[in-house]
Amino acid sequence: MSVLQLEENKKSPKKSMVWSKAKELILLKEIAAEGVMSNKPRSRERGMQWQRISDNITALGQGVTSRAIRDHYNVMAKKYRARMAQEERSTGEGGAELTEAESLLEELIHIEGEMERQVENENEENQQRIEQERGQALEMRERAMETLGQTRKRTKEEKVRRHDEMVARKGRVGERR
């Protein structure tokens, strides 16, 4: 860029996107079409999908960044959740019939919640696996550090425990007959 272009960019104020109901509906349709909420939050795939949505909306003549789109969706979802909670508290049930935008938003929020629960479950499974591996490593370390006398004592105790378990199982099998 030349110096003149840089100076012109500094002088012209940035145009901010004014979100109308029609533009919000287009945004929600694009989000649903791309399937953004079906990917893990903060994943590369999800980021690429936000960028594709940004490109699609920019192609319609509205210059907007992927971050602006993501932030606006989050604001819309937060307002929708608050409005639905307020309606449920005031009437004890859902409000009037949903518009197309509201039903799309509700569906996207539901899919996003499912993905968050799935990620939480995966994280819990990973934590359990890590704890199990840590326990195995500690046991291995203890076995490696024990003396010959301790090893003989431990193996003898394990044999006795296995024998007792086998006798107990045979006793239960004999009771069934």
Side-chain angles (χ1 to χ4, degrees):
M1 286 186 144
S2 70
V3 176
L4 288 174
Q5 289 174 334
L6 288 174
E7 287 180 18
E8 287 177 17
N9 287 342
K10 287 181 184 177
K11 290 179 184 176
S12 64
K14 284 191 171 188
K15 295 179 182 177
S16 61
M17 175 85 156
V18 178
W19 291 96
S20 66
K21 297 289 181 190
K23 290 177 184 175
E24 287 179 347
L25 182 60
I26 291 171
L27 171 64
L28 292 172
K29 286 180 179 180
E30 286 290 329
I31 292 172
E34 281 292 329
V36 174
M37 299 304 156
S38 61
N39 287 317
K40 289 182 180 180
R42 295 183 176 89
S43 68
R44 177 174 290 188
E45 295 82 16
R46 200 171 197 174
M48 290 169 54
Q49 287 176 322
W50 283 117
Q51 186 59 48
R52 280 196 295 269
I53 292 170
S54 170
D55 295 342
N56 293 344
I57 292 178
T58 301
L60 296 174
Q62 304 295 325
V64 66
T65 64
S66 61
R67 181 174 180 159
I69 288 174
R70 187 177 63 239
D71 289 346
H72 189 70
Y73 166 76
N74 288 331
V75 167
M76 287 171 50
K78 185 177 180 180
K79 285 181 180 178
Y80 178 78
R81 286 185 193 111
R83 190 172 68 240
M84 287 296 119
Q86 177 64 31
E87 283 182 18
E88 192 169 318
R89 279 187 300 234
S90 64
T91 62
E93 56 186 54
E97 204 167 304
L98 299 176
T99 64
E100 182 181 6
E102 289 174 334
S103 62
L104 266 172
L105 191 55
E106 184 176 10
E107 185 177 329
L108 291 170
I109 290 170
H110 176 72
I111 293 170
E112 186 178 19
E114 295 274 328
M115 181 52 65
E116 288 174 359
R117 282 188 288 281
Q118 182 180 349
V119 168
E120 286 176 15
N121 289 341
E122 288 175 4
N123 288 342
E124 287 175 12
E125 290 171 2
N126 285 340
Q127 284 296 98
Q128 289 174 352
R129 184 181 45 80
I130 289 170
E131 289 298 320
Q132 183 181 10
E133 289 174 358
R134 184 176 291 137
Q136 290 173 344
L138 287 174
E139 183 181 339
M140 230 183 265
R141 187 177 305 130
E142 288 174 4
R143 285 184 177 193
M145 297 299 291
E146 67 187 17
T147 62
L148 182 59
Q150 291 171 326
T151 302
R152 287 183 179 155
K153 181 179 177 185
R154 179 179 47 82
T155 54
K156 183 179 177 183
E157 289 172 355
E158 287 176 358
K159 285 180 183 177
V160 169
R161 183 181 47 82
R162 276 189 250 138
H163 181 267
D164 291 344
E165 288 174 357
M166 194 181 330
V167 169
R169 272 191 245 137
K170 285 182 180 180
R172 282 184 279 190
V173 172
E175 292 173 1
R176 292 181 193 167
R177 292 182 186 174

